[in-house]
Amino acid sequence: MARRVGYGSPFALSPAFERAYGVSPQEYRPQLRRNLARVYAQRASRLAGAVVWTHTPTEPGPGRVLPDGCMDLLWYDGRLLVAGPDTRAYVTDGAPGRWAGVRFYPGTAPALLGVPAHALRDRRVELTDLWPATRARRLAARVNAAPDPATGLEEAALSRAAGTEPPDPLLRRVVAALDAGRPVAATADELGIGARRLHRRSLAAFGYGPKTLARVLRLQRALALARTGMPLAETAVRAGFADQAHLTRDVRELTGATPGELLGRNS
């Protein structure tokens, strides 16, 4: 019997996930698409706690990927890359061609890739720079030989997971607590690990400390609420900001744009 891999289901924290992002895991796409027609699709992966996606820009121009706490294994033009956890919006160069990826739930990718998340913070790195070249090229050849890159990436992730210990349940609890708006200090106390240990564990698993992870999750909560048409003042309070000005400052710091610019409205 195959060992169960990852969390119990894709983005297993479904109530918290849908609160944070305003959509189901299968519909989740934390990418801003402005002034650019793109073809994007994704599905739940057979690797629990992950999604498989493809993305094909149909017009030239930059795109913007907002911080979401996740890491991705990427395929582009026959090459494999890793997208680390972002602390700010990542602006793509708009290169033409198809992309495919596996997006891992926060905290799960480092064990699969053998690299601490903080080493990849705000970076896109060729897999050959992280693994021995022969090993990375062997995996790339396997992905390229698959019926399609997305399927090849998923099979590669499943194979890696089969030989890796399952995710630490503590990480799931950290994400759940911070996603629910719990303060970092209270989260550390409730988990019984202390603030310093929580910070160390967070750096390795998420790429940054728990305060940054909490900000990223709060950003996504706020945008999900605002996309329903909720006024920004109410969005700010419900998402956990002090007020609308606090929301605007935080969104600008994390994304490089105002809430109105991201949402395409003035209020």
Side-chain angles (χ1 to χ4, degrees), residues 51-99:
V51 294
V52 179
W53 57 267
T54 58
H55 180 208
T56 306
T58 58
E59 295 178 9
R64 189 181 310 218
V65 181
L66 305 186
D68 61 2
C70 299
M71 292 175 57
D72 295 60
L73 179 62
L74 308 172
W75 175 94
Y76 177 71
D77 195 27
R79 300 149 40 216
L80 298 184
L81 306 92
V82 176
D86 294 322
T87 60
R88 58 185 180 275
Y90 178 81
V91 179
T92 66
D93 60 10
R98 184 185 185 195
W99 288 81

Side-chain angles (χ1 to χ4, degrees), residues 16-266:
F17 185 92
E18 293 195 25
R19 270 200 319 276
Y21 302 107
V23 293
S24 70
Q26 291 74 21
E27 296 169 321
Y28 175 61
R29 58 184 70 181
Q31 298 195 11
L32 175 67
R33 294 174 296 170
R34 298 174 61 208
N35 304 320
L36 182 61
R38 298 175 185 271
V39 176
Y40 180 96
Q42 70 176 39
R43 60 174 173 80
S45 173
R46 288 180 291 134
L47 173 64
V51 294
V52 179
W53 57 267
T54 58
H55 180 208
T56 306
T58 58
E59 295 178 9
R64 189 181 310 218
V65 181
L66 305 186
D68 61 2
C70 299
M71 292 175 57
D72 295 60
L73 179 62
L74 308 172
W75 175 94
Y76 177 71
D77 195 27
R79 300 149 40 216
L80 298 184
L81 306 92
V82 176
D86 294 322
T87 60
R88 58 185 180 275
Y90 178 81
V91 179
T92 66
D93 60 10
R98 184 185 185 195
W99 288 81
V102 174
R103 178 175 300 120
F104 303 100
Y105 189 85
T108 62
L112 297 179
L113 299 174
V115 182
H118 62 76
L120 299 173
R121 183 172 54 238
D122 294 320
R123 300 177 65 197
R124 300 316 188 251
V125 181
E126 298 271 356
L127 190 61
T128 51
D129 292 334
L130 302 176
W131 289 6
T134 300
R135 181 177 161 205
R137 289 169 184 152
R138 187 184 307 124
L139 184 61
R142 176 180 171 184
V143 172
N144 288 326
D148 62 84
T151 298
L153 287 171
E154 182 179 32
E155 292 294 342
L158 286 165
S159 178
R160 291 289 299 173
T164 305
E165 289 298 314
D168 184 347
L170 179 70
L171 301 177
R172 170 181 174 176
R173 294 172 64 192
V174 170
V175 175
L178 297 179
D179 189 37
R182 296 292 292 156
V184 171
T187 297
D189 289 343
E190 291 163 4
L191 296 178
I193 61 174
R196 290 185 179 181
R197 186 180 171 200
L198 175 58
H199 189 80
R200 290 196 300 270
R201 295 288 297 275
S202 295
L203 285 177
F206 309 121
Y208 29 62
K211 289 185 178 180
T212 299
L213 177 61
R215 287 184 72 200
V216 167
L217 295 176
R218 185 175 61 183
L219 164 73
Q220 292 292 342
R221 286 199 303 274
L223 292 177
L225 290 169
R227 286 175 184 134
T228 68
M230 181 179 294
L232 292 180
E234 183 180 352
T235 292
V237 173
R238 291 189 55 182
F241 294 90
D243 52 28
Q244 184 174 339
H246 182 200
L247 164 67
T248 299
R249 287 195 304 272
D250 219 48
V251 170
R252 188 188 291 276
E253 288 178 9
L254 290 170
T255 72
T258 67
E261 289 168 338
L262 293 178
L263 298 165
R265 57 187 169 100
N266 298 320

